[in-house]
Amino acid sequence: MSDKTPKVNLRGLYKIFGARDKEVLKHVKEDGMGKEELLEKHGHVLGLQAINVEMQAGEITVVMGLSGSGKSTLIRHLNRLIDPTDGEILVDGEDVMKLSKIELRQMRQEKMSMVFQKFALLPHRTVKQNAAMSLNVRGMDKATQNTEALKWLERVGLGGYENHYPSQLSGGMQQRVGIARALAANTDIMLMDEAFSALDPLIRTDMQNLLLELQVELHKTIIFITHDLDEALKLADHLVILKDGAVIQQGEPQEILLNPADPYIEDFVSDINRARVLRVRSVMKHLESTEFSGDVEADDNLESLIALSEGDTSLVYRVISEGEPIGELNMRDLVKALVPRISSTQAA
Amino acid sequence: MATYDWFFNMLGLRDWCDAGTSKAPMSMADLLNKTGNAEAPPFYDVPFPSLDALNDACGQITQTRDVVKGLEEGFLAVRPALRTMLDPITQPLSWMLDGTLYVFTEAPWFLIMASILIVVWYATRSKSVVLFNLFCLSFFSLVDHFEPAMETLAVILVCTVISALFGVPIGIAMSKSNRLQKSIIPILDLLQTLPTFVYLIPLIFLFPIGESRLYGIAITLYAIVPIIRLTDLGIRLVDQDVVEAGNAFGMSPGQKLGKVEMPLALPNIMAGLNQTIMMSLAMVVIASMVTAPGLGVLVLRGIRNLELGVGLMAGICIVLLAVMLDRTSKAALSRIDRAKSKTS
């Protein structure tokens, strides 16, 4: 993690759903009451507890969890579509909770845009008008709205569809409109709430690639919510895993994969194709040998290396990053890294 | 001896009851009681302790007729105040009704017909609906009912516009506040369930007979209900995901209403407008009892003078007018629906 100030910083965030949320907060904070107990004794639902997450500028922070883990609640706190029961939300070092209604609207217009799971496009407006929605809200002139909307529609691969209506497009294309709408807002921060979950697998892969491609160019601060670990590992610079409203592990995705902190996460990661997700960088050792069978890039995944070695585990490769040798990789270590570490007995 | 003497005796109020009342028999029943033998009536003849029965036993209790009189006097007492308040507010309604009636009855028939057909075309873009309108209008003219039909139409037009003008904002306000919704819904229920004659009574006393706002208000009160209800419902039914998107992009409440909620609720609001038109038509016939002009007057004449033919012919015209209004507004509604979904 870098030492610069985070773009978005959540500090001690709690959310309890119910009429007397402030009163029952102390049971959670001081007595350590859990979700079930709180519901049983006080009839309040614990949404989020003790959330401390730093989201760095220019990174994709992925918040992953199963349904009911509070991830959608979490993302809605960032632009205060939901107000927290307790805690601080700092955006660019400024406490969002202290904003007035008008300042809050201004922040939503200028600092954050959002992409929704169910697209949430205006059905009575054309694709172009939808893409220009944020500019329209800000009261920009028609010409700017048009050029910006067309530019971003072109960029997400929807050139020529600007005069269609959302219902005339497929799900994947509608979500492209959603992304164009968020990009046209020209905000530093993009919130993506299960943005690709409603799409079929092939389209989803397309959209993930599109997002990564755009990110190389635009360096937005993206907060991405998903319940799909493969998607999370593919996109994340920083991965936050939520369970029952609490963060159970966060960090670099490769790190989480190699050192899961919790049986729950072990179960999670046991099912995925580790060879495809793990990078050479994560399993390499310091340079010791002098004889190498060849050079590999640090950001190559292990799958490509297995293909390169044709399955021969006796080989040792030199790892190169930006032209410099930075380490070595023994194929035996590689095979070891592919075995998921399982401490929990119920895991398959 | 009255039935409930024992009650007041038991409470020791006999002196209070008799104070200030003359012992002289007051009513025929009293007289009969005096003359007749004073034996108690059989138990099944015991009256409910109504005001009148209690008055028999105790002169201090008011009689029902006094309560009725009190109601009347109370109403008459507040009438001047109500009138000074309502008069200026409702005056424009009279002007609107009179003006519209004047236009619809004085303009040459072909101009009226042409303008109606043009409006229908713009609202529906449907040739068959325009043709049906033409057929109905020609039928009215053929049987010499064109003028009363146009009077009815004029009244409906004004009352529908007024209903929409007030109903839509009220519906919007209701959709934004649960408390307001809870307090307005009983009023709407009341307006819809009250037999229409019942609220004609206070209106007759509040507004001079012969002024058009009298029936204008009666019709509007009756017809405004569906548009309020459906505006409220329509806005509450708007896809919350889209509203959330509006919020997330920093829309102000006004922008949300204008750019998201109203457009998405429009089909429901239009359905409410259709109902409002149909209820205005129903009421304008009944309101002919309080001088509303139009086809209703002919129906009323049919009933009063037992002129079966007159009543039937007016009835046929009302049915045709109803179908015409319904078809037209429904066609306009479906055009909006189509424009909204725009499926290829």
Side-chain angles (χ1 to χ4, degrees):
Chain A
M1 193 158 295
S2 60
D3 51 4
K4 55 192 166 173
T5 49
K7 187 84 180 165
V8 181
N9 194 353
L10 306 179
R11 277 200 222 147
L13 204 63
Y14 283 85
K15 175 67 190 177
I16 294 167
F17 293 100
R20 294 177 295 113
D21 55 341
K22 301 269 186 210
E23 291 169 47
V24 300
L25 175 68
K26 67 172 191 293
H27 296 301
V28 179
K29 252 183 148 171
E30 290 158 23
D31 313 342
M33 203 177 264
K35 191 171 185 168
E36 265 104 55
E37 204 185 349
L38 188 75
L39 185 63
E40 205 174 290
K41 286 196 181 157
H42 300 282
H44 280 54
V45 176
L46 182 56
L48 294 174
Q49 49 179 323
I51 303 283
N52 290 296
V53 179
E54 295 185 348
M55 297 161 182
Q56 306 298 336
E59 282 192 352
I60 302 183
T61 302
V62 175
V63 179
M64 202 208 62
L66 299 181
S67 40
S69 61
K71 53 192 191 305
S72 286
T73 310
L74 176 65
I75 200 171
R76 277 167 179 70
H77 277 81
L78 300 184
N79 54 2
R80 275 186 64 195
L81 288 176
I82 299 177
D83 278 340
T85 306
D86 193 38
E88 281 183 321
I89 304 160
L90 303 173
V91 176
D92 289 333
E94 192 183 7
D95 192 351
V96 176
M97 290 311 297
K98 295 206 175 81
L99 298 180
S100 69
K101 268 188 178 173
I102 292 164
E103 288 168 329
L104 178 64
R105 271 210 298 276
Q106 203 172 355
M107 185 201 76
R108 287 171 177 174
Q109 287 174 7
E110 289 165 9
K111 278 197 183 163
M112 286 185 190
S113 49
M114 197 161 176
V115 183
F116 297 86
Q117 179 176 13
K118 289 176 190 152
F119 320 139
L121 302 173
L122 297 176
H124 61 291
R125 294 270 179 240
T126 62
V127 165
K128 186 171 68 183
Q129 287 166 326
N130 266 294
M133 183 173 130
S134 59
L135 306 172
N136 181 274
V137 169
R138 277 187 241 169
M140 289 198 179
D141 61 284
K142 271 271 171 313
T144 324
Q145 285 186 30
N146 263 335
T147 48
E148 282 293 299
L150 288 176
K151 178 175 109 191
W152 289 112
L153 284 172
E154 190 70 44
R155 187 64 195 82
V156 298
L158 278 182
Y161 285 98
E162 58 269 10
N163 291 322
H164 285 58
Y165 283 85
S167 56
Q168 293 170 301
L169 305 182
S170 69
M173 288 158 96
Q174 289 190 38
Q175 193 58 296
R176 280 170 198 262
V177 181
I179 293 176
R181 173 170 74 176
L183 290 173
N186 194 23
T187 55
D188 292 346
I189 303 171
M190 251 171 95
L191 309 177
M192 307 188 76
D193 179 23
E194 302 226 24
F196 305 149
S197 299
L199 307 173
D200 60 62
L202 274 180
I203 307 280
R204 197 187 302 177
T205 313
D206 270 359
M207 299 294 283
Q208 290 161 357
N209 293 338
L210 173 72
L211 183 68
L212 289 172
E213 209 178 288
L214 287 167
Q215 179 63 359
V216 171
E217 224 175 277
L218 303 170
H219 300 294
K220 302 256 180 201
T221 307
I222 298 177
I223 291 98
F224 194 99
I225 297 287
T226 183
H227 59 249
D228 178 355
L229 185 62
D230 284 313
E231 185 169 74
L233 292 170
K234 180 168 179 182
L235 299 175
D237 295 314
H238 183 74
L239 181 59
V240 179
I241 297 181
L242 272 189
K243 183 193 176 192
D244 290 339
V247 174
I248 48 176
Q249 191 173 10
Q250 59 175 320
E252 228 246 306
Q254 307 265 316
E255 180 62 31
I256 291 179
L257 203 57
L258 291 170
N259 302 305
D262 183 79
Y264 176 77
I265 301 178
E266 283 173 16
D267 285 355
F268 242 131
V269 300
S270 65
D271 278 345
I272 60 152
N273 182 350
R274 297 167 72 87
R276 184 169 299 165
V277 177
L278 287 175
R279 311 269 159 189
V280 169
R281 182 194 295 281
S282 314
V283 288
M284 70 183 185
K285 296 235 169 71
H286 292 297
L287 270 177
E288 283 168 4
S289 327
T290 45
E291 294 278 312
F292 295 108
S293 323
D295 290 349
V296 291
E297 280 292 325
D299 283 332
D300 283 351
N301 62 23
L302 301 188
E303 202 174 47
S304 63
L305 196 53
I306 294 169
L308 185 72
S309 67
E310 293 171 332
D312 188 345
T313 52
S314 62
L315 303 180
V316 178
Y317 286 96
R318 188 165 61 154
V319 181
I320 306 284
S321 175
E322 291 163 2
E324 294 284 312
I326 55 166
E328 63 171 46
L329 178 63
N330 192 321
M331 286 304 283
R332 287 206 188 85
D333 294 337
L334 184 149
V335 173
K336 273 184 201 151
L338 289 183
V339 180
R341 201 192 73 190
I342 297 175
S343 57
S344 57
T345 47
Q346 75 271 23
Chain B
M1 272 302 275
T3 321
Y4 290 102
D5 274 348
W6 59 268
F7 177 70
F8 294 99
N9 293 341
M10 191 182 74
L11 290 175
L13 293 171
R14 178 52 44 209
D15 292 340
W16 172 72
C17 283
D18 292 343
T21 48
S22 72
K23 283 287 175 192
M26 295 297 290
S27 67
M28 202 59 181
D30 289 339
L31 279 171
L32 281 172
N33 274 342
K34 287 280 170 195
T35 52
N37 36 16
E39 72 186 54
F43 73 93
Y44 51 81
D45 263 357
V46 170
F48 183 85
S50 67
L51 286 176
D52 282 356
L54 292 175
N55 177 265
D56 283 346
C58 173
Q60 295 286 23
I61 306 284
T62 42
Q63 278 178 293
T64 302
R65 63 161 185 237
D66 294 329
V67 176
V68 172
K69 199 159 172 240
L71 260 179
E72 183 179 322
E73 277 165 359
F75 184 75
L76 289 178
V78 295
R79 184 169 76 147
L82 266 178
R83 262 186 141 159
T84 33
M85 192 182 75
L86 289 176
D87 246 24
I89 304 176
T90 53
Q91 188 56 51
L93 181 59
S94 277
W95 292 333
M96 280 174 78
L97 281 164
D98 292 341
T100 318
L101 279 168
Y102 178 82
V103 171
F104 271 72
T105 49
E106 298 301 316
W109 61 271
F110 46 86
L111 270 187
I112 302 178
M113 267 202 203
S115 20
I116 290 177
L117 293 179
I118 289 171
V119 169
V120 169
W121 170 249
Y122 273 102
T124 64
R125 301 292 163 119
S126 155
K127 277 191 192 114
S128 57
V129 173
V130 173
L131 278 179
F132 182 72
N133 271 271
L134 179 63
F135 163 76
C136 292
L137 292 171
S138 312
F139 179 83
F140 300 149
S141 313
L142 190 70
V143 295
D144 287 299
H145 278 58
F146 189 69
E147 194 165 317
M150 285 310 105
E151 283 171 352
T152 302
L153 193 61
V155 175
I156 293 173
L157 190 71
V158 172
C159 292
T160 305
V161 168
I162 300 276
S163 296
L165 230 51
F166 287 93
V168 172
I170 294 175
I172 293 172
M174 266 171 83
S175 70
K176 298 288 173 201
S177 154
N178 285 331
R179 197 186 295 171
L180 191 66
Q181 190 196 34
K182 269 198 193 114
S183 57
I184 287 188
I185 278 187
I187 302 176
L188 299 183
D189 289 342
L190 186 76
L191 286 175
Q192 261 186 331
T193 46
L194 265 188
T196 39
F197 292 123
V198 174
Y199 61 84
L200 288 182
I201 296 172
L203 287 176
I204 291 171
F205 281 89
L206 273 180
F207 301 102
I209 292 253
E211 271 202 39
S212 30
R213 59 181 136 162
L214 171 55
Y215 59 80
I217 290 173
I219 297 167
T220 308
L221 278 180
Y222 189 64
I224 201 171
V225 179
I227 195 153
I228 295 180
R229 277 192 204 279
L230 280 155
T231 304
D232 173 40
L233 181 75
I235 291 185
R236 281 175 188 266
L237 284 184
V238 167
D239 187 352
Q240 285 311 303
D241 291 335
V242 185
V243 177
E244 191 177 48
N247 276 330
F249 282 96
M251 283 189 181
S252 64
Q255 286 176 320
K256 237 182 336 182
L257 189 67
K259 289 179 204 279
V260 180
E261 288 168 328
M262 285 301 277
L264 297 193
L266 199 57
N268 269 317
I269 298 176
M270 287 302 289
L273 195 67
N274 167 270
Q275 288 301 302
T276 290
I277 293 173
M278 300 323 288
M279 289 179 82
S280 311
L281 176 66
M283 194 60 190
V284 76
V285 174
I286 293 170
S288 62
M289 298 183 72
V290 288
T291 71
L295 294 165
V297 176
L298 298 174
V299 176
L300 201 63
R301 200 173 104 198
I303 296 171
R304 276 200 188 130
N305 308 349
L306 292 179
E307 293 179 56
L308 180 62
V310 174
L312 277 181
M313 182 53 88
I316 292 170
C317 289
I318 288 172
V319 170
L320 273 183
L321 192 63
V323 177
M324 181 177 129
L325 288 169
D326 189 51
R327 289 293 127 199
T328 309
S329 52
K330 285 232 175 89
L333 170 63
S334 68
R335 193 169 78 92
I336 285 173
D337 275 349
R338 252 180 290 131
K340 193 200 138 197
S341 55
K342 278 271 166 42
T343 38
S344 44

